[in-house]
Amino acid sequence: MSTALIIVDIQNDYFPNGKMELSNPDKAAANAAKVLDWFRQNNKDHIFHVQHIASSPELGFFLPNTEGAEIHETVQPVEHENMIEKNFPNSFLKTELESKLRAKGVTKVVVVGMMTHMCIDATVRAAVDLGFETTLIEDACATRHLSYQDKVVSAEQVHYAFVSALNGVYANVISTEDFLERN
C-alpha cells in the first residue's frame, strides 16, 4: 500500500501578523515540518502541498498573489513535490488531488495543516468518503478561537472537539511523536 502526505494550508496569513492568525501556528508548523522531513527521506514522491487561494476578496485572507497566501517557510515545497491549489475547505473539491493520488496508487493519506475546524475537518472527511485510509497528526494542526453569540470557545477546545470527533470513525488520530516512532 502506498501512503501520501497532504499538507493543508500552512500559509503565511495564519501566522503572527497574518490576516487570519491562529493559536500556536508555529508549533503546528514545526511538527508538520518533522512529518514532511520523514516523507522526504522515506516517501518523497508522495508529498502533496495544498494551497488555499481565495476565490473572492470577501474572504479577507489568502488573496491571490499576496505574501499571506504563500506557503509558510517551515514547509516550503521543493521542486519534485506536488502542489494543489484549492478554493474550498475540502482539499478534494474541484481539485486534482484525488486523481493525482490515485495515479500514484495511494491508498493511505496522512493529513497535517490548518485550520482544524475547517479545512482539516473537511479534507479528512472527504478523504475517508473517497476510500482513503486516513491518519491525522493532531499536533501538526492548528485552529483559532471561535464564537457564537456571546459564547467563546477557546482554540484548544475547538481543536480537541474536532480531532475527537474525527478519531476512530474517520481517522486514526495520533501525535507527531507517535507517527515518527511507528514509521
Side-chain angles (χ1 to χ4, degrees):
M1 291 188 211
S2 184
T3 304
L5 173 63
I6 303 173
I7 305 170
V8 181
D9 302 349
I10 300 183
Q11 295 169 243
N12 292 333
D13 270 343
Y14 283 149
F15 289 81
N17 303 313
K19 294 184 190 286
M20 181 59 75
E21 187 175 342
L22 302 184
S23 178
N24 296 314
D26 293 307
K27 178 183 175 192
N31 284 330
K34 291 175 187 175
V35 176
L36 175 58
D37 287 342
W38 184 91
F39 270 86
R40 284 178 172 160
Q41 293 171 24
N42 297 285
N43 202 356
K44 67 181 180 180
D45 295 327
H46 291 81
I47 297 169
F48 292 81
H49 296 266
V50 178
Q51 180 182 30
H52 195 124
I53 300 297
S55 56
S56 169
E58 286 85 43
L59 185 62
F61 62 104
F62 295 161
L63 301 176
N65 305 309
T66 64
E67 184 180 334
E70 292 175 13
I71 303 290
H72 193 263
E73 64 187 2
T74 55
V75 293
Q76 273 291 312
V78 295
E79 93 181 37
H80 66 276
E81 295 171 353
N82 300 281
M83 282 295 302
I84 303 291
E85 184 178 306
K86 71 177 178 70
N87 306 113
F88 302 96
N90 173 353
S91 297
F92 292 92
L93 184 61
K94 298 186 180 182
T95 71
E96 297 179 343
L97 181 57
E98 180 185 7
S99 63
K100 288 188 176 207
L101 290 168
R102 301 246 186 249
K104 292 182 177 285
V106 170
T107 58
K108 296 180 181 182
V109 295
V110 174
V111 178
V112 300
M114 301 174 180
M115 292 190 284
T116 310
H117 75 279
M118 186 63 68
C119 298
I120 297 303
D121 182 64
T123 297
V124 166
R125 289 174 187 270
V128 172
D129 289 346
L130 292 168
F132 295 100
E133 185 178 324
T134 305
T135 297
L136 174 61
I137 307 209
E138 65 88 9
D139 60 355
C141 298
T143 194
R144 64 187 188 97
H145 304 302
L146 296 179
S147 62
Y148 176 71
Q149 295 181 355
D150 63 344
K151 306 286 188 234
V152 176
V153 183
S154 74
E156 181 180 41
Q157 290 175 321
V158 170
H159 177 77
Y160 285 111
F162 275 83
V163 299
S164 296
L166 292 171
N167 189 37
V169 175
Y170 276 95
N172 175 29
V173 178
I174 61 173
S175 69
T176 300
E177 184 178 327
D178 285 344
F179 174 80
L180 296 173
E181 284 178 5
R182 293 178 189 177
N183 290 289

